[in-house]
Amino acid sequence: MTPPDTHAPFAPSGLARVVACPGSYNLIRAARAAGVALDEDDTDASREGTAAHEVAVRLARDGECMPIGALTSNGVAVTEEMIEGAEMWAEQVSKYPGGQFETLVKCPAIHHDCWGTPDYQFGPNMGTLYIPDYKFGHRYVSPVMNWQLIAYASGVMPEYYPTMRVVLQIVQPRSYHRDGPVREWVIDGDELREHITTLRIAIIRAVE
């Protein structure tokens, strides 16, 4: 098994593609092994997203507002949009005080090589688990059937609680949609278990 401090073979962020096309897993792995650059690897948008996440975490977790023009860890300059997005993120997670930022979560119910770091997690508390996720891109991301967040929830709540309330949220300040920048999908433990089964089956097909 690969150590958990490296990129997971079945990272939660890539599970939507595995569910949609299990065969894509081996194709992408072969392409990367051959040194082929993929569109999703180290693009300007991905670097901007990484920088925006850093700004958001520093504000929400540490109370530090990075100034416009300052460089983040990956060398991207902080923008006014990043600060505005960070303020929205900080306001949202402040509703669930005492949660954990970017803590490694293993998802063995899906696969022993599935793990990741949720942006934030809170609970289960009083029967509810919250998994909010920060997205800085413009492309609309729905919390409904969001395989990344489902995977995180499975790892945070490894035991089966059929009546558990699971709240999956997307906080996306730059996606201008009628549903607003903060969107959520609420399911229970039974529904979560069904979706975990779907993910597990998709991965089995991917490695066949």
Side-chain angles (χ1 to χ4, degrees):
M1 176 178 172
T2 311
D5 58 348
T6 62
H7 188 72
F10 291 104
S13 59
L15 290 178
R17 179 171 49 211
V18 175
V19 172
C21 179
S24 65
Y25 170 73
N26 283 325
L27 290 174
I28 291 174
R29 187 174 63 169
R32 286 181 172 150
V36 177
L38 303 177
D39 289 343
E40 64 191 52
D41 294 338
D42 199 30
T43 64
D44 288 343
S46 67
R47 287 191 293 272
E48 181 186 52
T50 298
H53 270 77
E54 180 178 335
V55 176
V57 170
R58 286 195 182 190
L59 180 61
R61 183 188 63 195
D62 306 325
E64 175 190 352
C65 184
M66 298 182 68
I68 295 175
L71 296 182
T72 58
S73 300
N74 66 349
V76 175
V78 175
T79 66
E80 184 175 356
E81 279 190 315
M82 290 182 187
I83 293 174
E84 291 173 351
E87 290 172 347
M88 181 181 293
W89 174 245
E91 179 181 359
Q92 184 64 22
V93 299
S94 70
K95 299 175 182 179
Y96 321 116
Q100 300 180 61
F101 288 93
E102 298 186 331
T103 301
L104 178 70
V105 168
K106 298 179 182 179
C107 311
I110 295 171
H111 192 273
H112 63 270
D113 276 338
C114 181
W115 63 79
T117 51
D119 291 338
Y120 194 75
Q121 54 179 286
F122 176 74
N125 183 58
M126 301 297 291
T128 302
L129 170 66
Y130 293 90
I131 306 286
D133 195 63
Y134 183 61
K135 301 293 187 186
F136 192 64
H138 291 286
R139 183 176 61 83
Y140 173 81
V141 178
S142 174
V144 179
M145 297 296 291
N146 189 300
W147 298 110
Q148 179 181 12
L149 301 190
I150 289 169
Y152 289 152
S154 78
V156 175
M157 192 182 76
E159 296 183 38
Y160 172 54
Y161 300 101
T163 60
M164 176 63 63
R165 183 171 176 262
V166 181
V167 182
L168 307 180
Q169 297 179 330
I170 294 293
V171 179
Q172 192 174 15
R174 298 198 301 172
S175 178
Y176 305 106
H177 192 273
R178 64 179 180 274
D179 294 338
V182 180
R183 305 177 286 274
E184 70 178 32
W185 185 44
V186 182
I187 60 176
D188 60 27
D190 275 338
E191 291 174 283
L192 179 64
R193 186 167 67 166
E194 290 176 7
H195 298 316
I196 291 171
T197 299
T198 298
L199 285 170
R200 190 164 56 242
I201 292 171
I203 290 177
I204 290 171
R205 291 174 177 169
V207 298
E208 286 179 343

